[in-house]
Amino acid sequence: MSRGVVAGRGGLHLGAVVWRLVAAVCVGVVGVLLYGGPAAAHGADAPVAVDYVVRVASVSVSGVEVRAVEGGARLELVNRSGREVVVLGLQGEPFLRVGDRGVEENRQSPTWFASRSISGSAAGGNAAAAPEWHLVAGGPRVRWHDERARELPARAWSVPLLIDGREPGIVRGTVAAAPAPQTGWWWAGGLLGAVVVGLVWRLRTVLAVVAVGGGVVASVWIVQSAGLAASPADGVGVQVLARLWPLVAAVGVVAAGVLSLFKRVDIVVAIAGACLAVMVGVGDSAVFRYGTLAGPAWGRWGVVVALAVGAGLAVAGGLRWYQATGEHSDPEHSNPEQSDPEPSGPAQNDQEPGDPKRGDREERDQPQPESAQPSPEK
């Protein structure tokens, strides 16, 4: 009967592991959706990878440099000419001004409203109104979303400039399709790594080292991507805030790995790993599909590590937690002395060990010697 109870409890524990891991995955999915939501509000919504490449062919003004950044999501202009450079908007209105004072943006420009998000869906402003300049940075560098130099189809593009309020200038470039990476191989590498991590689930120290290493790699990749996406208007802090939940998941895996060296926190390791796999491995899996990366060049490897370590820890932590709870609930392993003793033989019958009548019954049942037996009557 005790073995049946243990088996039933084991089923309950297995179900609890599955449901907790499912809950962790759901939390991670919600986090992926939430952390992408506020990005459009502060312009920090560059994708991790795109399927096109933006190239700048020429700039007509000496001392002015323009390049595509964040995988082509933005253009960056640096003015070292010593002259005032005005970037004209979609309707020919003054949009940005870069000069001795720094970077100013015209809050009446319809292009300024459209540039607040990568989709260009924000509307507002009046191209015919007098410019309303606001100083946003003290240096000569500015970045902005410009739908004239973004996304397919392949084409040539140009952005007009105005130098010192009178001399025209222009930036010319092209948009072309970016060759896609070997998507299947990248996914296979992540899943194979997860299997390898899951197979060493019995080795607590190894899992702790893997958790710390994977969490550090993911954290560095997230912070470095935020640094590359920073601009005078949207600093590193804004970019990190846009990537807050993936960063929390990566740091959480590091903390869980360190804690597991001193205390058994298997279910915490499993949940942290599931969050990392979903929020970074799956949430940033566009790096496996598209050819141009918005972050550092090693970004695909960072996402593969996050996927492999996160999914592997989710499985390994769940198995370790299931094993520990199974041992604690099994009475044969936890306290063998409490198991029911087997009857030693039929001689015990139903008599208590201290029964005073037991000796009399045994004495009567024993055969008597011939000298003690009564002689037959003659």
Side-chain angles (χ1 to χ4, degrees), residues 15-34:
V17 171
V18 172
W19 280 110
R20 292 191 184 190
L21 293 180
V22 169
V25 172
C26 292
V27 170
V29 172
V30 173
V32 170
L33 299 176
L34 289 179

Side-chain angles (χ1 to χ4, degrees), residues 92-320:
E93 82 283 4
F95 166 39
L96 298 169
R97 184 166 66 184
V98 187
D100 295 336
R101 295 183 57 190
V103 177
E104 299 171 282
E105 54 189 18
N106 177 17
R107 300 289 176 85
Q108 286 292 333
S109 168
T111 309
W112 179 82
F113 283 92
S115 69
R116 301 311 294 167
S117 68
I118 194 172
S119 64
S121 58
N126 183 0
E132 182 183 323
W133 295 109
H134 288 258
L135 184 67
V136 294
R141 186 187 308 269
V142 63
R143 290 181 176 181
W144 74 96
H145 295 304
D146 199 315
E147 62 184 69
R148 292 169 289 193
R150 189 177 66 245
E151 297 181 352
L152 296 172
R155 66 191 185 280
W157 58 267
S158 63
V159 174
L161 306 174
L162 187 63
I163 312 303
D164 291 333
R166 61 182 183 277
E167 180 183 333
I170 194 167
V171 181
R172 299 183 185 276
T174 58
V175 177
Q182 298 292 330
T183 303
W185 286 109
W186 288 104
W187 276 109
L191 296 178
L192 179 61
V195 171
V196 173
V197 175
L199 289 176
V200 297
W201 64 276
R202 295 181 182 274
L203 307 177
R204 184 184 65 174
T205 303
V206 174
L207 287 178
V209 172
V210 169
V212 173
V216 168
V217 169
S219 300
V220 171
W221 178 73
I222 293 169
V223 173
Q224 189 173 352
S225 298
L228 293 176
S231 69
D234 299 322
V236 176
V238 172
Q239 297 294 336
V240 170
L241 182 62
R243 299 161 173 81
L244 179 60
W245 292 115
L247 182 59
V248 169
V251 174
V253 168
V254 174
V258 173
L259 185 61
S260 67
L261 291 173
F262 307 97
K263 186 178 180 180
R264 189 152 193 172
V265 288
D266 302 322
I267 194 63
V268 175
V269 172
I271 293 175
C275 291
L276 180 67
V278 172
M279 303 191 74
V280 180
V282 177
D284 293 332
S285 61
V287 298
F288 301 155
R289 302 192 303 272
Y290 301 135
T292 301
L293 300 180
W298 57 278
R300 291 191 182 92
W301 291 104
V303 176
V304 164
V305 169
L307 178 62
V309 171
L313 290 177
V315 174
L319 290 174
R320 289 180 60 84

Side-chain angles (χ1 to χ4, degrees), residues 20 28 33 40 62 64 69 78 89 99 116 122 137 149 158 165 169 318 321 341 358 369 375:
R20 292 191 184 190
L33 299 176
S62 178
V64 176
V69 295
V78 181
R116 301 311 294 167
S158 63
W321 182 81
R358 176 178 177 180
S375 59

